[in-house]
Amino acid sequence: MTVYSISADVDFVSPDDDTVIAQLGDLSFLVIPHWVGNACSLVAEASAGTPQDALDGFHREISGLGIRIRRYDLGLMSVSDIATELDVSRETVRLWSTGSRRGHFPDRFAHVGSSRVWAWSEVYHWARDNGYELEDRGVPLPLWLLEKTNGILAGSEMTVAP
């Protein structure tokens, strides 16, 4: 079994709702709610045999509490974010991203303003394949799976596992 990291934006759950907070603590995986203003996200670590099984279990249990998942977080990261996660300089990440050092760095996912961003799942696997120690954290779900599931969520009022 692998421990997968999952992060999802959900319909607002009040931090004052003791019943829901208690129910989150009773799930079969560790889940931590985060609030910023009126936005709520759930961050979880779920053990499963495959990424799809982890996502399905998370979706089923969260939906079973009556919480609607709006979208799954793609884990987009800037050069600075990647540098912090891998404990290297921003210049090192910039060189990786331009192909000047250690080839085959993942392609950027998008531009946000004038900054490039990458999907953490792709950087994670690249870093692990290039000898960086990432064992103390959950494995991010693959980008293709998150994008596919977000497409399904965007196209319907889905309340069951994708």
Side-chain angles (χ1 to χ4, degrees):
M1 294 276 240
T2 302
V3 176
Y4 292 96
S5 293
I6 304 169
S7 180
D9 294 333
V10 299
D11 279 350
F12 187 72
V13 173
S14 173
D16 299 323
D17 187 337
D18 294 335
T19 302
V20 172
I21 302 304
Q23 289 174 324
L24 290 172
D26 291 338
L27 297 176
S28 66
F29 48 84
L30 174 65
V31 63
I32 300 170
H34 294 274
W35 296 271
V36 177
N38 287 332
C40 182
S41 61
L42 302 176
V43 177
E45 290 192 347
S47 293
T50 68
Q52 183 72 59
D53 290 343
L55 183 67
D56 289 348
F58 176 88
H59 200 100
R60 185 175 42 258
E61 290 194 43
I62 296 301
S63 297
L65 297 178
I67 298 172
R68 187 174 78 90
I69 298 170
R70 300 170 58 94
R71 76 186 61 79
Y72 287 93
D73 186 345
L74 301 179
L76 300 181
M77 302 181 80
S78 67
V79 166
S80 294
D81 297 328
I82 295 167
T84 299
E85 282 295 318
L86 299 179
D87 196 26
V88 297
S89 71
R90 289 190 312 252
E91 180 63 8
T92 295
V93 176
R94 189 192 68 74
L95 290 171
W96 290 341
S97 72
T98 62
S100 299
R101 187 182 292 173
R102 291 201 192 203
H104 308 294
F105 191 75
D107 291 335
R108 65 153 175 87
F109 180 80
H111 278 98
V112 177
S114 61
S115 297
R116 296 171 297 156
V117 293
W118 288 261
W120 173 240
S121 63
E122 293 183 343
V123 173
Y124 174 94
H125 290 288
W126 176 89
R128 191 186 63 197
D129 292 347
N130 282 277
Y132 286 86
E133 294 294 324
L134 301 166
E135 307 308 323
D136 61 337
R137 61 188 85 193
V139 176
L141 296 175
L143 180 61
W144 68 266
L145 179 58
L146 295 170
E147 287 191 296
K148 175 183 135 187
T149 305
N150 282 342
I152 292 168
L153 289 170
S156 69
E157 291 294 322
M158 193 161 111
T159 58
V160 296

